[in-house]
Amino acid sequence: MTDTKQSNEFIITTAIDYANGEPHIGHVYEKILGDAIARYQRLAGRDVTFVMGTDEHGEKISKAAAKAGVTPQELVDDLSDRAFRGLWDRLEISYDAFIRTTSQRHKKFVQDVLQRVYDAGDIYFAEYEGLYSVGAERYVTDKELVEGPDGVRRYPGDPQPPELRREANYFFKMEKYQDWLLDTLKTNPTLIQPAGYRNEVLEMLSEPIGPLSISRPKSRVPWGIELPWDADHVTYVWFDALLSYLTPFVASGRDPATVSGLAWHVIGKDILKPHAVFWPTMLKAAGYPLYRKLVVHSHILAEDGRKMGKSLGNAIDPQQLVNDFPVDAIRYTLLREASLGADSPYGEGILVSRLNSDLANDLGNLLSRTVSMIHKYRGGVLPAAHEPNEREREIEAAALALPGQILALVDDLKINMAIEAAMNFVRDLNRYIAESAPWNLAKSDDTASRLDTVLYTAAEGLRVASVCLEAVIPGKARELRAQLGLSGQTYALAGAWGLIPAGTRVPGGPILFPKPEQEEGKEKVTRPQKAVQKDKKVVTQVAPPTAPVASTEPVTNTAPVTNTAPAETEALISIDDFARIDLRVAEVIACEAVAKADKLLKLTVKMGEETRTVVSGIRKWYEPEALVGRKVILVANLKPAKLRGIESQGMILAAEDDAGNLDLVGLTLDLPSGTKVR
C-alpha cells in the first residue's frame, strides 16, 4: 500500500446528504469547510480528490416520496440535482466526484463488499427486537434517548419516539472488531478531531457495542440495494452510504485498499457513531485500511443562540442567503465564525458585520486605494520597486512565511486562525500604506523612487493575500488579481515575492465587496449584530465599562486580582454579597486577536454545555494559540456590555504584580468546565 506520509495524494470527503428534504445551513457549512481544505491542499501542490454525493435509499426516502405523491426515484432525482448539487455549484464547491447511491456503479460496489464480508463469516441471520429510530434509521439503545419537554424519550434529532420492532435481519459482527478499534484510537490520538469527539467514541467503546443490523426486509423497506445472496432483504442505509466514499475510485479501476487509508472524512457531530464505529469496523472486515482522519464539526445555531427550526422562525434558507449576499462573503463568514468544537451562532447580522469590516473595509479598501494610486500617480501601470527599506523587508519576509503558516494551521484544522493570519497580513499592508503616505511622496520628484516601491509593495502584497485567501473566497481572489492585471493567473500557495512583472497594466474594476447598503436595487439594511441568547441568557457579551482593570489597559473583561487591602473608604461585602458572584471553570476552545485593537483578544470559552464569547485585554501577555485548551476562572454572571462592537459575557480573572506582569488565575486540578468555584 502507498505510504501516506510520502504520497502526494490527498482524498477528502464530506458526508453524503440524505435526499429526503432541502439542504440547510449545516449542510452548507460542512461543504464549504471541506471545499476550503481541498482547495488549500491543491494550492499546496497536492493531488486532491474531493468526493461528495447524495444518500438516496432508506425508509425515510420511501415515506417522503409517498407523502409528496411521487416515486422514490423521482424524489431523489429532483433533490440531488436541483436542491443539493445546484446549491453546491452556486457556492463554488470544487468537488471532483459526486456519488449518487442509486447509481449502478455504486450498487455493484456495495454488493461486492457485502458478499466479501459475508463470505468471511462476519454476517449472520437472526431475529432481533429493539427500539428503532426512523429518523436515525437504526436501532438505538435506551441510554441514547433523551427526555424532551413533553416527558417523551427520543433519539436526538428524531422528532418521533423510537418504535419497538421485532424482525429477522442480517447482522454484521461489529463487536468482533471492538478491541481493535479501541486500541487504534488509543494509539492514534489525532485520528478523530477535535479531541472531544474522540473522547466520546472512547466512551462508546467502553461498553459492548454488539452486532449491527445491516439489512431490512424488502417487504417493509423496498427502496434499497438487494443483498447479493438474499433478494428478500435490502441493505441497511449506513452500510450502503458509507461505501460511497470509495465508489468513484473503484469505478475508475482502483483497489479500495490503496485509497481508504488516504481519506479525510468531514462530518457533522450528529453522525459521529456511524463514522467512528460502524465505518472503521466495516473497513476492517472488508480488509481495507482505516481512514487517515475524521474531522467532526459542530452545529450552526441561529443568531439568537438557539437551534434553528422553521417552527421557531429562525432557520436560514441557504438558497435565499445565496440570492441576498455574495457567495464569497457567505463562505468567508461561515469559516471565520464557526468553530469545529462548539456550536456557533450565525445569521445575517454576523454576516453583514464581517462583510463590512473584514472584506469591505480591510481587503476591499486595500485593493481600491492601491489601484487608485497606481492610476493617479503612474497612469495605471505598475512601477518597478527600488531599494526596499526595513519596513518593506519585513513585509516581504512576512509574505514568504505566510503560506507555510497557513498550511500548518489548515493541517491542524484551525481554519479560522489560517484566515485570520491572512487578514492580519492585509491589515498590515493597510498600516504600511498609512505609514508610507504615498500621497505625500507623490508631491516631489525626489521621492519618486520611494513612491514606486510603495505602490509595488502594496500590489504584490495584494497578490500574496489573494493566494492565501483563495481557498476561502475563490471568486473574489480571482477578481482581485484581475484588477491588478493578473487575469487568469494562478499561483501556488508557497513563499514567493516579486511575481508581478513591473510594467503590468492595472485595469482596476468595481468595488470588490460592496457593503449591503451600497448595493443598488436592494432594500437590505445593515443590522447591528444581535446578542446571542441561550435559554433567555445572553451568551456573547463583554464586561461593562466599569469593570476593574489594570491602569495601563483599556477597559476589558479581564479582572486583575491584587493583593492590596481595600481602602478604608471601601465598603466590605457580606458573605451574601459574595454568594451572588458566580465563578466558574471555563475552557478556552478558540482565541483570536480583535481587529484594530492592539490589546484585545476574543476568546470562545466552554462552560459545561454552554459556549460563550469573552473579550479580554491580555494580548500583551498571551498569544492567541497559547490559550486554546487552557482552563480559566470566569465571572459568569457579570452584566453584559459591548466592546469594539463585540458582545460578550463574563470576566476572566487574572493577577498582576507590581511590575505590571499579568497571570491568569488557573487550577492545579483538571476540573471539568462549568465547575462552580467557591
Side-chain angles (χ1 to χ4, degrees), residues 152-355:
V152 177
R153 293 169 59 78
R154 300 176 177 85
Y155 182 78
D158 189 347
Q160 301 300 322
E163 306 170 359
L164 183 64
R165 287 187 178 178
R166 182 180 183 86
E167 60 187 16
N169 292 330
Y170 285 90
F171 289 82
F172 165 52
K173 296 179 181 179
M174 188 166 62
E175 73 280 7
K176 175 180 174 180
Y177 302 102
Q178 181 170 353
D179 290 342
W180 162 80
L181 181 56
L182 187 59
D183 290 342
T184 300
L185 284 174
K186 287 180 177 178
T187 56
N188 189 350
T190 62
L191 181 66
I192 300 175
Q193 292 183 325
Y197 297 116
R198 171 180 174 268
N199 294 336
E200 284 188 32
V201 179
L202 289 173
E203 186 176 347
M204 294 176 195
L205 296 175
S206 67
E207 299 180 359
I209 59 174
L212 177 66
S213 174
I214 57 98
S215 77
R216 301 291 182 264
K218 195 173 180 179
S219 58
R220 183 171 65 78
V221 185
W223 187 243
I225 300 174
E226 292 179 356
L227 298 186
W229 64 87
D230 188 344
D232 291 331
H233 282 255
V234 297
T235 310
Y236 168 51
V237 67
W238 277 113
F239 211 102
D240 164 4
L242 292 164
L243 287 165
S244 69
Y245 300 143
L246 303 179
T247 296
F249 303 97
V250 175
S252 66
R254 291 188 62 177
D255 182 350
T258 67
V259 174
S260 62
L262 302 175
W264 283 30
H265 297 307
V266 179
I267 65 162
K269 68 178 182 179
D270 51 338
I271 51 174
L272 175 62
K273 186 172 184 178
H275 285 82
V277 180
F278 300 175
W279 184 221
T281 54
M282 286 167 56
L283 288 168
K284 182 68 173 176
Y288 303 148
L290 185 57
Y291 46 73
R292 189 173 174 186
K293 195 179 295 291
L294 184 64
V295 181
V296 188
H297 65 81
S298 294
H299 291 160
I300 301 297
L301 304 176
E303 273 186 293
D304 57 13
R306 296 179 297 169
K307 286 187 176 180
M308 291 189 189
K310 292 182 180 178
S311 61
L312 297 174
N314 61 1
I316 295 175
D317 178 359
Q319 298 286 357
Q320 190 61 48
L321 193 69
V322 174
N323 289 339
D324 290 345
F325 292 97
V327 163
D328 283 339
I330 298 169
R331 292 174 58 103
Y332 178 92
T333 52
L334 268 172
L335 292 172
R336 187 65 186 78
E337 293 293 327
S339 170
L340 289 184
D343 293 347
S344 305
Y346 185 76
E348 187 175 311
I350 292 172
L351 193 160
V352 168
S353 178
R354 281 286 182 192
L355 170 56

Side-chain angles (χ1 to χ4, degrees), residues 22 87 100 106 122 145 169 192 252 314 337-338 350-351 374 404 424 436 459 556 572 589 644 665:
E22 301 284 334
L87 181 59
R100 296 185 56 184
H106 177 71
D122 281 345
L145 304 182
N169 292 330
I192 300 175
S252 66
N314 61 1
E337 293 293 327
I350 292 172
L351 193 160
I374 293 172
N424 280 337
S436 303
T556 70
L572 297 174
I589 59 175
R644 291 297 178 103
V665 175

Side-chain angles (χ1 to χ4, degrees), residues 53 81 92 171 191 241 256 278 291 400-401 415 457 519 530 557 600 634 659 668:
D81 292 338
E92 286 203 55
F171 289 82
L191 181 66
F278 300 175
Y291 46 73
L400 294 173
I415 309 298
T457 300
E519 295 182 14
K530 301 175 184 176
N557 67 332
L600 302 182
L634 183 75
T668 56

